[in-house]
Amino acid sequence: MAAAAAAFAEPKTKYDRQLRIWGDQGQAALEKADICLLTCGPTGTEAMKNLVLGGVGSVTIVDGCLGQSRAKSVCSFLQELNDAVNAKFVEESPLALIDTNPPFFSQFTVVIATQLPERSLLKLDSICREANIVLVAARSYGLTGLVRISVKEHTVIESKPDHFLDDLRLHNPWTELKQFAKSTDISDKDPVVHKHIPYIIILVRLAEKWADAHDGHLPSTRQEKKEFKDLIREHMLNLDEENYKEAVESSYKVSVTPGISDDIRQIIDDSSTEVSSSSSDFWVLVAALKEFIANEVNGELPLEGTIPDMTSLTEYYVSLQKIYQAKAESDCLALEHHVKKILKRIDRDPDSISRAYIKAFCKNARKLRVCRYRSIEEEFGSPLLSEVQKYFTDEDYCFAMNFYVLLRAVDRLAANYNRFPGIFDSEIDEDVPRLKTAAVSVMSEMGLNGASLSEDLITEMCRFGGAEIHPVAAFIGGVASQEVIKLVTKQFVPLPGIFIFNGIDQKSQVLVL
């Protein structure tokens, strides 16, 4: 019994710090993931090292390097880092595997492709999209590099934004919250009680008082908001009352626009809410959310059910917590009812979506995200011309755009000469105009006829000689592994476009093409 308990506790201890970020559900998703790495050079190895340390379930290294097996050696070292990870290797050229065995990739959760030439990357992207496998392409080249994600659709429930307004519903308090606020005397002359009334109660009471005096309207203009703050200050007994200071600082929460945000409106109006038996659980829940909003009197989303820390008597704070939790539970049950009804309607088991998943969805309903990515073929063949032109003319983004074009151009030159520009010092002077010609060809295909690249940057790309400089490779590999974790755990929002690293100026930017 003790041994079993120790075995259960061991992963908790090993992954303690990251569990605080993505929780048990996120870690469980990682431990189920099967990741494939193509080419285990510096960039790919750095990415895989981070994932193995993070506790992914299984990794497969594909590399056809001649001589001593690089795939076997990397696999052995990765296993030493975390013996709980199942590490395998395939000694075959990634390019040959893409050409001869496309079904090989369908077994994986994510494929990480590093240092692949353009032709092979295009073919791999097509294979992964057809099999609904996430592709993360990473490349480091001298002092630059890129990371891009390719998947038809990626949905996120726990997007975990850095800053988000607390869901307190002070602009639209429900009955139980109103009743509790009314039962609390905010004019109590006992200084101890008065200075420990939670600011939520103060704002609910004073917002109601304001609305009664203003034809039912809450403060909306700058002047009205200033007057509302003055109203709060008038109820202070002493200047050192922290709870009233908190009420003044949070007074803007009373003026929140009711209803739902444009981002969430766009999601619930998506055609994917017309669900069928093949729809994902996410879209079934969104369809249920749409019905929930339509059936709610005030058209609000489910309440999150948490409150922030605040100055308060313990009994007040606990009572508020219970009121918010009860409302959140009530909303969750209502949404669950809609979910079961929809599942039954599309001939699926009404209990096929777990209560825990529905609860997490309700808690994060305001933070849902849907990411859709164009294929690499679309990006190359029909880039968003307005965006391309904007990036080229923008002083901040022009270098990132230059690097993007040149990274594609070196592949074209390598396809023609069987080597990257600058590999031989004696040929750098000849490679510069060759690379420039290849870059002009790329820009012409992008619709940038007449645009010019930095001559210094073209020369620098030749001087790089196709090298994977380890600090750059470590950084690019780190970004790639970070995105893989986001995609596997379905937490946080992945990169919306192509991440470009400019090691010359120490800048990173994302291009949406």
Side-chain angles (χ1 to χ4, degrees):
M1 187 76 175
F8 177 76
E10 193 267 339
K12 293 266 186 182
T13 305
K14 181 190 286 188
Y15 304 125
D16 176 65
R17 277 192 260 182
Q18 62 201 48
L19 283 168
R20 298 164 194 257
I21 299 172
W22 52 69
D24 291 335
Q25 282 184 314
Q27 189 62 36
L30 276 177
E31 289 171 9
K32 289 177 186 174
D34 194 349
I35 312 295
C36 176
L37 171 68
L38 302 183
T39 312
C40 56
T43 307
T45 304
E46 286 288 348
M48 200 56 82
K49 174 204 72 178
N50 296 332
L51 294 170
V52 165
L53 288 172
V56 295
S58 181
V59 299
T60 300
I61 312 293
V62 180
D63 194 283
C65 186
L66 299 175
Q68 183 180 353
S69 172
R70 188 164 67 172
K72 183 178 179 180
S73 299
V74 168
C75 198
S76 174
F77 288 132
L78 289 173
Q79 195 79 70
E80 286 181 23
L81 291 175
N82 190 344
D83 58 12
V85 176
N86 179 25
K88 298 171 284 186
F89 64 92
V90 175
E91 293 178 280
E92 187 173 347
S93 162
L95 308 189
L97 194 62
I98 292 167
D99 286 336
T100 61
N101 190 10
F104 171 81
F105 300 100
S106 62
Q107 63 186 294
F108 301 107
T109 311
V110 178
V111 174
I112 305 173
T114 63
Q115 309 302 104
L116 283 190
E118 188 171 294
R119 185 193 71 82
S120 297
L121 186 60
L122 281 166
K123 188 164 185 178
L124 178 63
D125 183 44
S126 177
I127 292 167
C128 289
R129 280 183 166 255
E130 190 174 334
N132 275 325
I133 305 299
V134 178
L135 173 64
V136 175
R139 183 173 194 179
S140 61
Y141 193 99
L143 292 177
T144 186
L146 63 77
V147 176
R148 61 153 62 84
I149 295 164
S150 183
V151 63
K152 289 178 185 176
E153 179 180 276
H154 177 71
T155 55
V156 185
I157 292 176
E158 297 183 63
S159 62
K160 299 184 178 180
D162 291 334
H163 304 288
F164 217 77
L165 190 64
D166 297 314
D167 188 15
L168 301 178
R169 303 289 166 89
L170 300 179
H171 63 289
N172 186 20
W174 62 99
T175 304
E176 291 79 7
L177 181 58
K178 284 181 183 177
Q179 288 174 346
F180 181 65
K182 283 182 180 178
S183 69
T184 307
D185 184 7
I186 64 172
S187 300
D188 196 311
K189 298 302 180 186
D190 183 330
V192 175
V193 173
H194 194 267
K195 70 194 298 184
H196 288 91
I197 298 170
Y199 78 77
I200 288 177
I201 294 175
I202 296 169
L203 290 176
V204 169
R205 290 291 301 275
L206 295 182
E208 187 175 26
K209 183 176 180 180
W210 174 279
D212 289 342
H214 293 81
D215 297 323
H217 298 293
L218 293 171
S220 57
T221 66
R222 186 173 181 178
Q223 181 59 33
E224 287 177 343
K225 290 174 184 177
K226 181 178 179 299
E227 290 172 6
F228 183 63
K229 287 182 179 180
D230 292 338
L231 176 63
I232 297 169
R233 294 188 184 98
E234 286 171 12
H235 284 74
M236 295 176 73
L237 296 180
N238 298 296
L239 293 175
D240 65 343
E241 292 182 316
E242 290 298 322
N243 58 334
Y244 274 87
K245 291 178 183 177
E246 290 169 358
V248 170
E249 290 171 2
S250 301
S251 61
Y252 67 93
K253 296 175 184 177
V254 166
S255 305
V256 170
T257 305
I260 63 175
S261 69
D262 291 340
D263 289 341
I264 300 302
R265 173 63 64 188
Q266 189 174 351
I267 292 172
I268 65 172
D269 287 342
D270 193 285
S271 60
S272 296
T273 55
E274 299 296 323
V275 293
S276 65
S277 58
S278 60
S279 295
S280 68
D281 289 352
F282 176 86
W283 286 111
V284 171
L285 284 167
V286 174
L289 180 64
K290 192 172 185 176
E291 291 187 6
F292 175 91
I293 294 168
N295 284 280
E296 285 297 294
V297 176
N298 297 307
E300 296 277 7
L301 294 168
L303 186 73
E304 283 185 26
T306 57
I307 57 174
D309 291 336
M310 63 190 76
T311 305
S312 171
L313 290 173
T314 302
E315 61 190 84
Y316 284 155
Y317 190 81
V318 171
S319 295
L320 270 177
Q321 269 189 325
K322 288 179 178 177
I323 289 167
Y324 274 84
Q325 287 168 359
K327 171 63 173 167
E329 180 66 18
S330 172
D331 286 352
C332 185
L333 286 170
L335 187 76
E336 186 177 18
H337 171 73
H338 290 293
V339 170
K340 289 180 182 291
K341 194 167 66 174
I342 290 171
L343 287 170
K344 192 173 180 181
R345 192 166 69 228
I346 61 176
D347 294 323
R348 281 177 56 182
D349 180 1
D351 297 315
S352 60
I353 300 179
S354 70
R355 182 77 199 285
Y357 189 67
I358 296 172
K359 198 168 185 178
F361 184 90
C362 287
K363 188 173 181 179
N364 295 280
R366 296 187 306 144
K367 306 164 191 172
L368 305 176
R369 292 292 181 270
V370 175
C371 307
R372 292 185 174 118
Y373 296 88
R374 303 175 80 213
S375 68
I376 296 176
E377 183 178 11
E378 288 173 322
E379 174 199 319
F380 287 175
S382 55
L384 304 173
L385 188 57
S386 60
E387 293 298 308
V388 171
Q389 290 172 335
K390 181 185 76 174
Y391 291 138
F392 251 109
T393 55
D394 188 301
E395 188 176 339
D396 288 334
Y397 280 88
C398 65
F399 262 68
M401 198 67 217
N402 274 226
F403 274 125
Y404 170 82
V405 169
L406 289 168
L407 283 168
R408 289 186 59 191
V410 294
D411 274 345
R412 298 206 176 176
L413 193 147
N416 291 330
Y417 293 90
N418 292 316
R419 63 173 178 79
F420 288 119
I423 290 286
F424 304 112
D425 289 346
S426 60
E427 296 194 24
I428 287 182
D429 289 342
E430 294 177 17
D431 284 342
V432 170
R434 289 170 181 166
L435 182 58
K436 184 175 181 179
T437 300
V440 169
S441 172
V442 172
M443 288 193 296
S444 176
E445 290 174 13
M446 295 175 71
L448 289 169
N449 297 311
S452 60
L453 290 171
S454 164
E455 296 287 341
D456 290 342
L457 215 52
I458 295 171
T459 304
E460 283 300 303
M461 287 295 283
C462 289
R463 289 181 64 241
F464 293 158
E468 280 187 86
I469 301 171
H470 206 108
V472 177
F475 179 73
I476 294 296
V479 173
S481 59
Q482 171 185 278
E483 296 310 304
V484 170
I485 288 171
K486 291 179 187 177
L487 292 158
V488 169
T489 61
K490 295 200 170 185
Q491 296 183 25
F492 302 95
V493 181
L495 290 169
I498 305 151
F499 174 90
I500 303 284
F501 174 63
N502 172 358
I504 296 173
D505 297 321
Q506 299 296 300
K507 288 173 72 174
S508 299
Q509 287 160 315
V510 176
L511 307 177
V512 180
L513 303 176

